[in-house]
Amino acid sequence: MLRYLPFLLVLALWIYAFIDCLNTPEKEVRHLPKVVWVIIVLLFGEVLIGPVAWLVAGRPRKGARGGGSPFERRRTQWVAPDDNPDFLKSLKDEKAEKDARAAKDADEAQAAKDADAEELRRREREEDDR
């Protein structure tokens, strides 16, 4: 089994480089067009030249975390929901909306009860008149 390990490692690197090359957007590929990099990785994969060349020269470089130039777009830092003012505001808005719906439903229910009571009184008067 140990004698197959080098072959499996080469195959794994070859497959990784090929899939990475295919998934990388065209505008982020460096030095050569993406199609040329795919061909290089496929043709020279067995001898590791293609995958290593892709990983070293063609693959887009990722900037250092936390650093970078001031021109790069900065990601907003994650904020816990209980500290996020937008989230808290949405909770208040939802609660106010729920309360308004409950008040409206209560008013409608009371109006229906009043209408039923009025109808009952009207019927009782009609029966008394007979």
Side-chain angles (χ1 to χ4, degrees):
M1 180 66 183
L2 196 56
R3 65 181 170 182
Y4 296 118
L5 187 62
F7 172 75
L8 292 175
L9 290 175
V10 169
L11 182 65
L13 181 64
W14 191 6
I15 292 171
Y16 173 79
F18 178 67
I19 292 173
D20 186 49
C21 185
L22 288 178
N23 288 334
T24 302
E26 178 77 36
K27 64 180 182 174
E28 293 181 14
V29 175
R30 298 185 302 147
H31 302 297
L32 295 172
K34 182 176 176 177
V35 175
V36 175
W37 278 115
V38 170
I39 293 171
I40 289 173
V41 169
L42 286 177
L43 289 179
F44 300 105
E46 280 188 52
V47 290
L48 287 181
I49 294 173
V52 170
W54 163 253
L55 295 174
V56 171
R59 188 174 194 213
R61 291 191 181 188
K62 305 291 183 200
R65 289 191 165 249
S69 70
F71 301 107
E72 292 179 13
R73 179 184 289 172
R74 301 248 181 219
R75 284 188 173 182
T76 58
Q77 190 169 359
W78 183 80
V79 179
D82 58 341
D83 293 337
N84 188 340
D86 295 331
F87 178 73
L88 296 174
K89 182 180 180 303
S90 72
L91 288 179
K92 288 177 185 175
D93 293 344
E94 287 176 16
K95 184 176 183 330
E97 187 177 308
K98 184 179 176 184
D99 291 345
R101 270 188 268 134
K104 181 181 175 186
D105 292 345
D107 289 345
E108 289 174 358
Q110 186 62 39
K113 283 182 184 179
D114 291 345
D116 289 344
E118 184 63 34
E119 179 68 24
L120 185 59
R121 278 189 236 122
R122 187 184 61 80
R123 286 186 185 171
E124 287 176 352
R125 273 188 252 135
E126 285 178 1
E127 286 179 12
D128 287 343
D129 290 341
R130 290 185 193 171

